[in-house]
């Protein structure tokens, strides 16, 4: 299997390469920009599989394929929950949300290995997906949640939630009144329900509400620690792979 990684953040690219190596998948090349990728594709045989970051330092990675006809299977990687991930899932082998989880990566590789290129053709309409990225569709996000408290149902407004977090296989909403409520959903399901202007997934365990961030502190290994106005039961750490996107989100 001939694999390349297109990722502008070199530490993230090296980490992905290490994870793939643990799965006995060899990465033959790592590319870091649209310009570099175009030049490489024009002068080298195309790989079997591309791990493709969507946002590169010099533009959207789809610009590569406006110049070069892609002949490879693609697994998208992205840190942007608000993007039309279902489009990627339908039109590619898979997509992986950063920071990339090793088990999800293994599942994506197995999906590729079970794919029979001779029998099926990958059809990716980059123009359509690019439109979704540049001009995301207007949509309504969830404004309230209903939780069960004893024999009663309580309505929680989304703007009252300081953070959503997972713990012991449960998903909880921590509110500005200092209460934690168990939800009948998962963080993964919340990805499509939460407004990306209000909430950001800082790690696999936490979504935070920008309106309830009280302080942001430099933390070890180039990470950030978030202090919310009320919730203080666990440390909320922005994973290193998401720090850059978190800072952009804050702006």
């Amino acid at each position: 299997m001939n694999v390349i990684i297109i990722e502008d953040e070199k530490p993230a690219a090296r980490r992905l390469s290490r994870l793939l190596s643990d799965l006995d998948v060899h990465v033959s090349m790592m590319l870091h920009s649209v310009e570099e990728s175009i030049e490489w594709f024009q002068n080298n045989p195309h790989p079997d599989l591309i791990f493709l970051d969507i946002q590169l330092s010099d533009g959207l990675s789809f610009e590569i394929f406006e110049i070069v006809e892609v002949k490879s299977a693609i697994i998208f990687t992205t840190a942007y929950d608000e993007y039309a991930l279902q489009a990627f899932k339908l039109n590619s082998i898979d997509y992986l949300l950063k920071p990339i989880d090793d088990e999800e990566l293994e599942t994506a590789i197995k999906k590729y290995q079970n794919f029979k290129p001779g029998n099926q053709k990958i059809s990716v309409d980059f123009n359509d997906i690019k439109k979704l990225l540049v001009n995301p569709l207007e949509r309504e996000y969830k404004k309230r949640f209903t939780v069960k408290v004893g024999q009663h149902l309580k309505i929680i407004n989304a703007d009252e939630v300081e953070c959503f977090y997972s713990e012991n296989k449960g998903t909880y909403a921590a509110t500005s009144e200092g209460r934690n409520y168990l939800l009948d959903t998962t963080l993964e399901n919340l990805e499509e329900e939460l407004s990306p202007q209000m909430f950001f997934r800082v790690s696999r365990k936490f979504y935070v509400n920008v309106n309830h961030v009280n302080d942001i502190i430099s933390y070890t290994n180039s990470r950030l620690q978030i202090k919310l106005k009320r919730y203080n039961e666990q440390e909320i750490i922005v994973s290193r792979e998401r720090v850059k996107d978190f800072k952009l989100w804050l702006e």
Side-chain angles (χ1 to χ4, degrees), residues 55-240:
Q55 182 71 57
L56 301 176
S57 57
D58 57 346
L60 289 174
S61 57
F62 302 117
E63 295 171 23
I64 298 167
F65 307 109
E66 294 175 355
I67 307 298
V68 181
E69 182 183 357
V70 63
K71 299 177 182 178
S72 310
I74 296 171
I75 295 178
F76 291 102
T77 62
T78 177
Y80 297 95
D81 300 355
E82 70 268 30
Y83 282 175
L85 297 181
Q86 286 302 315
F88 307 147
K89 192 169 185 178
L90 291 172
N91 290 288
S92 67
I93 291 295
D94 210 339
Y95 69 87
L96 296 170
L97 190 63
K98 296 180 182 179
I100 293 173
D101 178 78
D102 51 357
E103 292 183 1
E104 292 177 357
L105 177 61
E106 184 176 8
T107 298
I109 289 294
K110 287 179 178 177
K111 183 177 177 181
Y112 167 75
Q113 290 171 335
N114 291 330
F115 182 79
K116 299 294 188 295
N119 298 330
Q120 303 181 49
K121 182 180 179 182
I122 301 173
S123 176
V124 183
D125 192 328
F126 291 107
N127 288 328
D128 282 352
I129 297 178
K130 185 177 178 181
K131 289 175 185 176
L132 292 174
L133 298 179
V134 177
N135 300 301
L137 297 175
E138 290 290 331
R139 57 171 295 183
E140 284 291 321
Y141 293 96
K142 201 157 186 175
K143 294 182 173 64
R144 65 187 67 87
F145 296 83
T146 303
V147 297
K148 189 174 182 180
V149 181
Q151 300 300 314
H152 302 271
L153 292 178
K154 180 177 176 62
I155 297 174
I156 302 173
N157 293 323
D159 57 8
E160 297 173 353
V161 178
E162 290 198 338
C163 68
F164 294 95
Y165 65 93
S166 61
E167 185 176 47
N168 297 325
K169 298 184 179 181
T171 301
Y172 296 84
T175 67
S176 56
E177 62 180 7
R179 296 284 303 275
N180 300 331
Y181 297 97
L182 178 64
L183 302 177
D184 185 22
T185 187
T186 64
L187 288 185
E188 285 66 33
N189 289 336
L190 287 173
E191 287 176 12
E192 298 181 4
E193 297 178 343
L194 299 177
S195 166
Q197 282 71 47
M198 187 184 299
F199 290 94
F200 187 90
R201 191 170 185 176
V202 298
S203 67
R204 287 194 293 272
K205 191 172 182 179
F206 280 97
Y207 271 102
V208 298
N209 185 335
V210 65
N211 298 316
H212 293 276
V213 173
N214 193 46
D215 197 8
I216 303 171
I217 306 166
S218 296
Y219 201 70
T220 58
N221 296 325
S222 302
R223 296 176 295 172
L224 297 172
Q225 182 180 20
I226 296 176
K227 297 287 188 180
L228 299 177
K229 295 176 181 177
R230 287 292 299 268
Y231 180 86
N232 60 7
E233 296 177 16
Q234 301 179 65
E235 284 189 334
I236 302 177
I237 306 299
V238 183
S239 60
R240 186 170 57 183

